[in-house]
Amino acid sequence: MNAAGPVAPSGPRILLRRLRQVMAGPGTAQERMDQLVVTIAANMVAEVCSIYLLRDGALELFATEGLKRSAIHETTLRVGEGLVGQIAQLARPVALSEARSHPNFAARPETGEEDYHSLMGVPVLRGGRVVGVLVLQNRTNRSYSNDEVEVMQTIAMVLAEMVGGALQEEIPGAGVLGADGLPRRIAGLALNEGLARGVAVLHEPRIVVEQHVADDIDVEAARLNTAVAELRIQVDGMLQAAIAEPGGESRDILETYRMFAHDKGWMARMHEAVQSGLTAEAAVERVQVENRARMSEIGDAYLRERLHDLEDLSNRLMRHLTVSGGQMADDDLPDQAVVVAWNMGPAELLDYDVGRVKALVLEEGSPTSHVAIVARALQIPVIGRLDQLLDIVESGDDLVVDGDNGQLFVRPGTDALEAFGANLELRQAKAAQYAALRDQPAVSKDGTRIQLNLNAGLLADLPHLDETGADGIGLYRTELHFMVRATLPTVSVQTEFYSRVLDQARGRPVLFRTLDVGGDKMLPYLTRYDDEQNPAMGWRAIRLSLDRPVLLRMQIRALLKAAADRPLAIMFPMIAEVSEFRAARGLLEREVERQHRMGEVGPSSLQVGTMLEVPSLAWQLGALLPMVDFVSIGSNDLMQFLFASDRGNPRLANRYDELSPAALSIVRDIVRRCSAAGVPVSLCGEAAGRPIDAMALIGLGLRSISMRAASIGAVKMMVRSLDLAALQAFMEDFYDSPEHSLREALTKFAEDHGVAI
Ligand code: PEP
Ligand code: MG
């Protein structure tokens, strides 16, 4: 109990029952709401109790005890405006003993609220979405206790029940966000390029709890127990299936699920909510809301993912309690579906009939999130970090996804649809041009053949070889296979995987890069080191592999086995000095010897090379080149370390250019040295996929480049329209230029010489 203001003296259970009586009583919805605020104010010992509900996109004062009644239906606040708007925006309670000194405080003089100092407000949530705000105010500097905030949250849930029912019939549009059905544009983070239009499919169908106050608490407690028991059986069953079927839904995740399903704290919190007078569903929702609030405060991505598991588990529990909330069957999935989710794992995406999924939009999500990696391989456009996505989008909404610019158009208007149509036509026309070139070689106008290879990392990438007519795979990022799994793949799982990659490449060369993990690409089953100040320059890639050689040896063993009488090419990431290459190659040779000893069939030929992506290695080419079979320049990392410029920092994205004299000079020098030594050299960074950049790279001497599948067509078209001799002459004295970038000059060259860029 708090000295400044007691928790509802009659106890939450009695208060809930009283509120229920008011709600079920006679009168209009407005009259009942007017009574509710009086009852709540009295029980919570507050001078003011107000209800704000969303209408036409704004928070409108619907009922008040204590503020001026003339302000009812007159005072409105935008979501995000003032403290009430902030509560709605963040879907989180606020309790302040001196509200007026808070930077977000926005006084509304017509309400007469200037006499009140303290304020406590909680969001009114329906189906997990904010529909309003319930507020208490006191004249004194009252400190509201956590218990009081919790009681208010429970009251808000009961209120939400009324908002969904009678009130909407009486006052249409009350308590509905986006009820106007107006077009909305939400800006997010582009996680995978592409353009798509489709019907919104909510990944987790929203479950709206229809009854919050329990008729019989014992019955509700028993219902909760039964549902939890069913949930535990379900999770155990999933776990058994995962153990029996390697590669099925991941075992580690399910172990975590099982741990949560038996978590005493979680159970206790739900039972406590039932004891306060809620139904079992309402209790699950109540605890889920608390978890979400905790989740949004956690910065650590790994821990957030774990709380996401708990969220998933709560949803499953809710489905055991309701019959309405089942998972959508594939038959119900529209042909043009845009999946809308808070976040999801890679396995969850693959559970859909991916042929029908045209795009994925997430409220969370990051470029390194596993689902984004998988979606990239499937060429599904993805946008992440879409603020309030789940509040704004309704199931069945028409959505236009612009994955190039990170823009989502909800219920698009004619303007957005016209722009979408025009863009789509342009893309389709280009795609048709590229498709026509598929079987044509990438040869310049003056007869130089350029090898165009693919960057890949998952089995889903392999079909792109045929689709694009690429020469082979110039970079196979093996870590992606490790990252989308929850457990370390065994040698036999890896062997099978690599052998499928080689099968599907059907004789075209594949350059496997050994694990580039660590830093920010941490595997869930590897010990984490959170103390690294610069993870990109930290304990990653070959550094980690040499310190934990078992991981690398297992991988090499699997690669050697998978090749079985086929050519094999392996390279190591982040080699900074020759001795690291020598150590890695030594390890590989020991595995080759072991394979001989075991009498296994080895590769028909073995090429061992290195990525050149740490600048220091460029000054050791004399010692390095005699030891390697090939070199692949990783321009993404090479540029980040050359310019000391974080490749993931959007503020630096345009600061230094890969077409600057320094960047072009270092690449040219490496290419020259490799060519003089007769060592094949290629480049596999993002630059290779941009036609103008690719043109410059070819101009400085590269004859092999590797890029994303989506870039092959455009780059091939550029090559086939290029007079290479003219370009080389043009670039002759580029390297001593004092300019920031030579991009403009190169673009002018392309325009003047009819190069398709
Ligand atoms: C690079 O650094 O250029 C590269 C291709 O490797 P990654 O992008 O995987 O770091
Ligand atoms: Mg790299």
Side-chain angles (χ1 to χ4, degrees), residues 513 516 521 540 574 611 613 634 636-637 647:
R513 179 176 77 184
D516 182 0
K521 283 198 251 179
R540 62 173 275 208
M574 292 287 290
M611 293 277 294
E613 51 185 345
N636 302 338
D637 277 319
R647 67 191 252 193

Side-chain angles (χ1 to χ4, degrees), residues 186-329:
I186 327 177
L189 188 66
L191 299 182
N192 192 31
E193 63 190 8
L195 206 58
R197 183 180 176 190
V199 180
V201 171
L202 298 188
H203 176 56
E204 284 291 351
R206 220 167 257 141
I207 298 169
V208 178
V209 177
E210 295 300 344
Q211 188 183 339
H212 289 83
V213 182
D215 291 328
D216 182 333
I217 284 175
D218 293 341
V219 170
E220 294 305 319
R223 285 183 66 227
L224 182 62
N225 284 336
T226 309
V228 168
E230 283 170 7
L231 175 76
R232 287 176 181 165
I233 292 169
Q234 185 193 21
V235 172
D236 285 349
M238 285 157 69
L239 192 58
Q240 289 307 321
I243 293 167
E245 185 208 331
E249 209 174 349
S250 60
R251 203 170 135 175
D252 267 15
I253 290 179
L254 290 170
E255 289 283 8
T256 322
Y257 273 34
R258 183 156 70 172
M259 192 185 82
F260 280 136
H262 289 264
D263 185 78
K264 289 203 176 73
W266 187 40
M267 296 305 134
R269 277 156 60 216
M270 289 188 293
H271 271 290
E272 216 172 273
V274 166
Q275 291 308 319
S276 76
L278 293 180
T279 57
E281 298 84 323
V284 175
E285 188 180 58
R286 172 86 187 72
V287 174
Q288 201 171 5
V289 168
E290 280 169 25
N291 282 338
R292 278 201 206 117
R294 275 166 59 200
M295 203 140 48
S296 59
E297 278 159 16
I298 291 177
D300 182 292
Y302 182 78
L303 284 181
R304 261 211 323 265
E305 287 288 321
R306 295 287 71 78
L307 279 171
H308 170 60
D309 294 346
L310 184 54
E311 169 96 5
D312 184 16
L313 209 59
S314 299
N315 287 332
R316 283 172 195 272
L317 184 55
M318 196 73 111
R319 284 199 286 273
H320 283 285
L321 286 162
T322 56
V323 268
S324 58
Q327 195 62 302
M328 172 170 296

